[in-house]
Amino acid sequence: RQLLFCTQFITPLDVVKIRLQAQKNPFPKGKCFVYCNGLMDHICVCENGNSKAWYKAPGHFNGTLDAFIKIVRHEGIKALWSGLPPTLVMAVPATVIYFTCYDQLCAALRVRMGDYAQEAPLLAGAVARVGSATVISPLELIRTKLQSQKQSYRELTDCIRSAVQSEGWLSLWRGLGPTLFRDVPFSAMYWYNYEKGKSWLCERYNTREPTFTITFISGAVSGSIASIVTLPFDVVKTRRQLELGELQAKNLSCQVSSSTFSVMSRIVAQGGFSGLFAGFLPRLIKVAPACAVMISTYEFGKAFFRKHNQERILGPLQTSTT
């Protein structure tokens, strides 16, 4: 439920962004763009040249607010969540894996790290992100191929088997490197700052259990810090993802694609170091509320079910003692 709440909040922002992009630079067949449902970034491939696709719907927009109003007025409010269902197929399990791994790892590391227990969120966040990204990466590659080439599952199986035979099993994780370069530092910094901020606010307001407001503020601030620090990796990851997605859509070997560091060098050469911080404000506007909503609803749900389980266990015991 918390995952769906986050996607409902963030997805309209990205739908409007993509529609504005498509208006400025129309997407040709085989072109890729990044779509965020509030939980994960996904590479979407333009399927054909017609205007029936949700990201090519007709309409002229004069800015973000105008786009929101016109999309709702002419296409209905549901259009703000266009393209969402297919991306949730992987985003939901990936997020469940991520949060579950973090909670379990952090609890175990706090016990084992002794005097360094305060650094447990840093390590647990990094490892949890590596795990979830590694599990999902091959599925994202498969989804991109299905979307771009309209293959049957049998044809896709043959295609994957051929790729594995010619390029090895690691070909299924192509594109994982740029993802980890951004997401692992982001996750480590996010959880470390979140736990620190939450503890500090709890002490300041003299409360043992963090309130919804405390977790919301801690999530927003820690997400903002992490997004600013990792922005260059986000720019590189997006550029690299788009290159890989377009090569896969055209059924070309990905071996000709540039490495992560060569992409970074190219960005600096073309636009200077400021090019590595392109999209600063849009990323901050999207990431900060997404982190705040996600972690506060997650903590609320976790506290609710913990209390429910305690009442269910203690109920019979209290009855037997009386």
Side-chain angles (χ1 to χ4, degrees):
R1 190 174 294 175
Q2 289 90 353
L3 305 182
L4 295 177
F5 181 77
C6 187
T7 62
Q8 290 168 0
F9 182 80
I10 299 300
T11 300
L13 298 174
D14 224 52
V15 168
V16 168
K17 183 199 75 174
I18 291 166
R19 292 286 292 273
L20 289 169
Q21 286 177 344
Q23 175 180 283
K24 186 176 180 180
N25 298 301
F27 298 138
K29 180 180 179 180
K31 187 71 175 176
C32 292
F33 60 89
V34 177
Y35 174 91
C36 178
N37 58 25
L39 302 176
M40 290 176 63
D41 292 339
H42 294 272
I43 292 299
C44 293
V45 184
C46 296
E47 301 172 14
N48 47 51
N50 64 36
S51 60
K52 294 181 180 179
W54 66 266
Y55 46 83
K56 287 191 174 183
H60 181 76
F61 310 121
N62 298 310
T64 302
L65 182 60
D66 185 56
F68 268 109
I69 294 170
K70 286 183 177 176
I71 289 172
V72 172
R73 182 183 298 164
H74 299 298
E75 303 172 41
I77 196 166
K78 289 183 179 179
L80 292 175
W81 288 270
S82 301
L84 177 60
T87 65
L88 285 179
V89 173
M90 281 176 295
V92 172
T95 307
V96 170
I97 292 170
Y98 175 50
F99 275 84
T100 304
C101 285
Y102 171 77
D103 268 343
Q104 298 298 317
L105 279 169
C106 193
L109 288 170
R110 284 185 194 276
V111 175
R112 295 173 179 269
M113 292 178 70
D115 295 338
Y116 299 97
Q118 289 187 338
E119 277 67 49
L122 192 76
L123 183 57
V127 174
R129 178 53 75 186
V130 170
S132 61
T134 303
V135 170
I136 293 300
S137 186
L139 300 179
E140 177 71 3
L141 184 145
I142 290 169
R143 189 187 70 86
T144 304
K145 282 186 175 291
L146 277 173
Q147 183 191 23
S148 62
Q149 298 171 19
K150 294 294 182 183
Q151 295 177 326
S152 67
Y153 284 101
R154 185 171 183 176
E155 291 172 331
L156 181 64
T157 302
D158 293 338
C159 177
I160 292 171
R161 186 182 296 115
S162 174
V164 169
Q165 288 175 348
S166 60
E167 301 178 40
W169 282 99
L170 290 179
S171 62
L172 297 178
W173 282 270
R174 185 171 287 115
L176 178 62
T179 301
L180 296 181
F181 268 118
R182 183 198 70 172
D183 290 358
V184 172
F186 179 95
S187 183
M189 281 186 284
Y190 171 75
W191 284 110
Y192 181 78
N193 289 323
Y194 169 74
E195 298 288 359
K196 284 282 190 182
K198 184 174 69 172
S199 298
W200 183 79
L201 287 172
C202 283
E203 289 179 10
R204 182 176 177 82
Y205 292 100
N206 196 26
T207 176
R208 290 182 61 188
E209 294 295 327
T211 62
F212 185 88
T213 304
I214 286 175
T215 56
F216 190 93
I217 293 172
S218 301
V221 173
S222 59
S224 299
I225 294 170
S227 66
I228 293 169
V229 174
T230 60
L231 182 58
F233 296 110
D234 181 62
V235 173
V236 172
K237 180 212 173 191
T238 301
R239 181 80 66 90
R240 179 96 166 111
Q241 271 188 317
L242 293 174
E243 289 179 357
L244 288 171
E246 287 168 13
L247 287 171
Q248 289 163 8
K250 297 172 185 176
N251 211 23
L252 298 174
S253 171
C254 295
Q255 291 178 340
V256 299
S257 181
S258 304
S259 68
T260 300
F261 289 106
S262 63
V263 172
M264 186 176 285
S265 301
R266 195 190 320 148
I267 292 171
V268 173
Q270 291 172 350
F273 281 100
S274 61
L276 293 174
F277 291 88
F280 166 79
L281 191 58
R283 175 163 162 78
L284 190 61
I285 290 172
K286 184 170 68 175
V287 171
C291 289
V293 171
M294 190 68 193
I295 195 62
S296 55
T297 52
Y298 173 74
E299 292 277 25
F300 177 82
K302 191 167 68 171
F304 173 82
F305 286 111
R306 185 191 297 122
K307 183 179 178 182
H308 175 74
N309 290 335
Q310 287 174 347
E311 289 175 351
R312 190 175 62 180
I313 294 169
L314 293 175
L317 292 175
Q318 290 173 346
T319 304
S320 62
T321 54
T322 57

